[in-house]
Short mmCIF file of all heavy atoms in Angstrom, two decimals:
data_model
loop_
_atom_site.label_atom_id
_atom_site.label_comp_id
_atom_site.label_asym_id
_atom_site.label_seq_id
_atom_site.Cartn_x
_atom_site.Cartn_y
_atom_site.Cartn_z
N ARG A 289 39.05 41.93 -5.26
CA ARG A 289 38.90 43.37 -5.02
C ARG A 289 38.74 44.03 -6.38
O ARG A 289 39.42 43.68 -7.34
CB ARG A 289 40.15 43.94 -4.34
CG ARG A 289 40.34 43.35 -2.98
CD ARG A 289 41.60 43.86 -2.35
NE ARG A 289 41.77 43.17 -1.07
CZ ARG A 289 42.57 43.60 -0.12
NH1 ARG A 289 43.28 44.69 -0.28
NH2 ARG A 289 42.69 42.94 1.00
N LYS A 290 37.85 44.99 -6.43
CA LYS A 290 37.68 45.75 -7.66
C LYS A 290 38.07 47.19 -7.39
O LYS A 290 37.79 47.71 -6.31
CB LYS A 290 36.22 45.71 -8.12
CG LYS A 290 35.76 44.39 -8.68
CD LYS A 290 34.33 44.58 -9.17
CE LYS A 290 33.70 43.28 -9.60
NZ LYS A 290 32.27 43.48 -9.85
N PHE A 291 38.69 47.80 -8.36
CA PHE A 291 39.05 49.22 -8.23
C PHE A 291 38.54 49.93 -9.46
O PHE A 291 38.62 49.40 -10.57
CB PHE A 291 40.57 49.37 -8.13
CG PHE A 291 41.16 48.63 -6.97
CD1 PHE A 291 41.68 47.34 -7.13
CD2 PHE A 291 41.19 49.21 -5.71
CE1 PHE A 291 42.21 46.65 -6.06
CE2 PHE A 291 41.74 48.51 -4.63
CZ PHE A 291 42.25 47.24 -4.80
N SER A 292 38.04 51.14 -9.24
CA SER A 292 37.46 51.83 -10.40
C SER A 292 38.53 52.41 -11.33
O SER A 292 38.24 52.82 -12.43
CB SER A 292 36.50 52.94 -9.93
OG SER A 292 37.20 53.80 -9.05
N ILE A 293 39.77 52.51 -10.85
CA ILE A 293 40.88 52.85 -11.78
C ILE A 293 41.91 51.73 -11.66
O ILE A 293 41.94 51.04 -10.64
CB ILE A 293 41.53 54.23 -11.45
CG1 ILE A 293 42.02 54.24 -9.98
CG2 ILE A 293 40.55 55.37 -11.68
CD1 ILE A 293 42.92 55.41 -9.67
N PRO A 294 42.77 51.58 -12.66
CA PRO A 294 43.73 50.46 -12.59
C PRO A 294 44.66 50.58 -11.38
O PRO A 294 45.19 51.65 -11.10
CB PRO A 294 44.52 50.59 -13.89
CG PRO A 294 43.71 51.47 -14.76
CD PRO A 294 42.88 52.34 -13.88
N VAL A 295 44.79 49.47 -10.68
CA VAL A 295 45.65 49.44 -9.49
C VAL A 295 46.55 48.22 -9.60
O VAL A 295 46.09 47.15 -9.97
CB VAL A 295 44.79 49.34 -8.21
CG1 VAL A 295 45.66 49.10 -7.00
CG2 VAL A 295 43.97 50.61 -8.03
N LYS A 296 47.81 48.44 -9.30
CA LYS A 296 48.74 47.31 -9.34
C LYS A 296 48.91 46.75 -7.93
O LYS A 296 48.75 47.48 -6.94
CB LYS A 296 50.11 47.77 -9.85
CG LYS A 296 50.13 48.08 -11.33
CD LYS A 296 51.54 48.15 -11.86
CE LYS A 296 52.29 49.41 -11.52
NZ LYS A 296 51.91 50.68 -12.10
N ASP A 297 49.23 45.48 -7.83
CA ASP A 297 49.53 44.90 -6.52
C ASP A 297 50.67 45.69 -5.90
O ASP A 297 51.66 46.00 -6.56
CB ASP A 297 49.95 43.43 -6.68
CG ASP A 297 48.74 42.51 -6.63
OD1 ASP A 297 47.61 43.05 -6.60
OD2 ASP A 297 48.92 41.28 -6.65
N GLY A 298 50.53 45.98 -4.65
CA GLY A 298 51.57 46.75 -3.96
C GLY A 298 51.26 48.24 -3.87
O GLY A 298 51.85 48.95 -3.06
N ASP A 299 50.35 48.74 -4.70
CA ASP A 299 49.96 50.16 -4.61
C ASP A 299 49.33 50.42 -3.25
O ASP A 299 48.64 49.56 -2.70
CB ASP A 299 48.92 50.50 -5.70
CG ASP A 299 49.61 50.77 -7.03
OD1 ASP A 299 50.86 50.78 -7.06
OD2 ASP A 299 48.89 50.92 -8.04
N GLN A 300 49.59 51.60 -2.74
CA GLN A 300 49.10 51.93 -1.41
C GLN A 300 47.86 52.82 -1.52
O GLN A 300 47.89 53.86 -2.18
CB GLN A 300 50.20 52.67 -0.64
CG GLN A 300 49.94 52.82 0.83
CD GLN A 300 50.06 51.50 1.59
OE1 GLN A 300 50.95 50.70 1.33
NE2 GLN A 300 49.14 51.28 2.51
N LEU A 301 46.79 52.41 -0.87
CA LEU A 301 45.61 53.27 -0.82
C LEU A 301 45.89 54.40 0.15
O LEU A 301 46.38 54.16 1.26
CB LEU A 301 44.38 52.47 -0.37
CG LEU A 301 44.03 51.21 -1.16
CD1 LEU A 301 42.79 50.55 -0.56
CD2 LEU A 301 43.80 51.52 -2.63
N GLU A 302 45.60 55.61 -0.26
CA GLU A 302 45.96 56.73 0.59
C GLU A 302 45.05 56.87 1.80
O GLU A 302 45.45 57.39 2.84
CB GLU A 302 45.98 58.03 -0.24
CG GLU A 302 47.30 58.15 -1.00
CD GLU A 302 47.19 58.98 -2.26
OE1 GLU A 302 46.27 59.80 -2.37
OE2 GLU A 302 48.05 58.78 -3.15
N ASP A 303 43.87 56.43 1.64
CA ASP A 303 42.92 56.48 2.76
C ASP A 303 41.82 55.46 2.45
O ASP A 303 41.72 54.96 1.33
CB ASP A 303 42.30 57.89 2.87
CG ASP A 303 41.76 58.15 4.28
OD1 ASP A 303 41.74 57.19 5.08
OD2 ASP A 303 41.36 59.30 4.54
N LEU A 304 41.01 55.18 3.42
CA LEU A 304 39.86 54.29 3.19
C LEU A 304 38.68 54.99 3.84
O LEU A 304 38.71 55.26 5.05
CB LEU A 304 40.12 52.93 3.82
CG LEU A 304 39.40 51.73 3.21
CD1 LEU A 304 39.75 51.57 1.74
CD2 LEU A 304 39.78 50.45 3.97
N ILE A 305 37.67 55.35 3.02
CA ILE A 305 36.63 56.26 3.50
C ILE A 305 35.25 55.63 3.34
O ILE A 305 34.95 55.00 2.32
CB ILE A 305 36.68 57.60 2.71
CG1 ILE A 305 38.02 58.29 3.00
CG2 ILE A 305 35.52 58.52 3.07
CD1 ILE A 305 38.44 59.28 1.96
N CYS A 306 34.43 55.82 4.36
CA CYS A 306 33.05 55.31 4.29
C CYS A 306 32.26 56.11 3.25
O CYS A 306 32.25 57.34 3.31
CB CYS A 306 32.39 55.45 5.67
SG CYS A 306 30.61 55.18 5.62
N PRO A 307 31.66 55.46 2.31
CA PRO A 307 30.91 56.19 1.27
C PRO A 307 29.63 56.83 1.81
O PRO A 307 29.05 57.70 1.16
CB PRO A 307 30.58 55.12 0.24
CG PRO A 307 30.67 53.83 0.95
CD PRO A 307 31.59 54.01 2.11
N LYS A 308 29.21 56.42 2.98
CA LYS A 308 27.97 56.96 3.53
C LYS A 308 28.22 58.25 4.33
O LYS A 308 27.53 59.24 4.17
CB LYS A 308 27.27 55.91 4.43
CG LYS A 308 26.95 54.61 3.71
CD LYS A 308 25.60 54.66 3.04
CE LYS A 308 25.40 53.52 2.03
NZ LYS A 308 25.29 52.20 2.63
N CYS A 309 29.23 58.21 5.28
CA CYS A 309 29.44 59.37 6.15
C CYS A 309 30.75 60.10 5.84
O CYS A 309 31.08 61.10 6.49
CB CYS A 309 29.38 58.99 7.62
SG CYS A 309 30.72 57.92 8.15
N ASN A 310 31.49 59.57 4.87
CA ASN A 310 32.73 60.20 4.41
C ASN A 310 33.81 60.33 5.49
O ASN A 310 34.69 61.18 5.41
CB ASN A 310 32.44 61.59 3.82
CG ASN A 310 31.90 61.43 2.42
OD1 ASN A 310 32.34 60.55 1.67
ND2 ASN A 310 30.93 62.27 2.08
N LYS A 311 33.72 59.49 6.54
CA LYS A 311 34.77 59.53 7.56
C LYS A 311 35.83 58.49 7.25
O LYS A 311 35.52 57.45 6.66
CB LYS A 311 34.16 59.27 8.93
CG LYS A 311 33.43 60.49 9.47
CD LYS A 311 33.02 60.29 10.92
CE LYS A 311 32.32 61.55 11.39
NZ LYS A 311 31.38 61.25 12.47
#
Side-chain angles (χ1 to χ4, degrees):
Chain A
R289 296 177 184 197
K290 288 184 187 171
F291 301 95
S292 55
I293 56 167
V295 172
K296 288 196 284 291
D297 272 6
D299 279 355
Q300 192 71 40
L301 305 179
E302 279 154 22
D303 202 352
L304 207 59
I305 296 158
C306 168
K308 302 272 166 69
C309 66
N310 282 322
K311 284 189 179 153

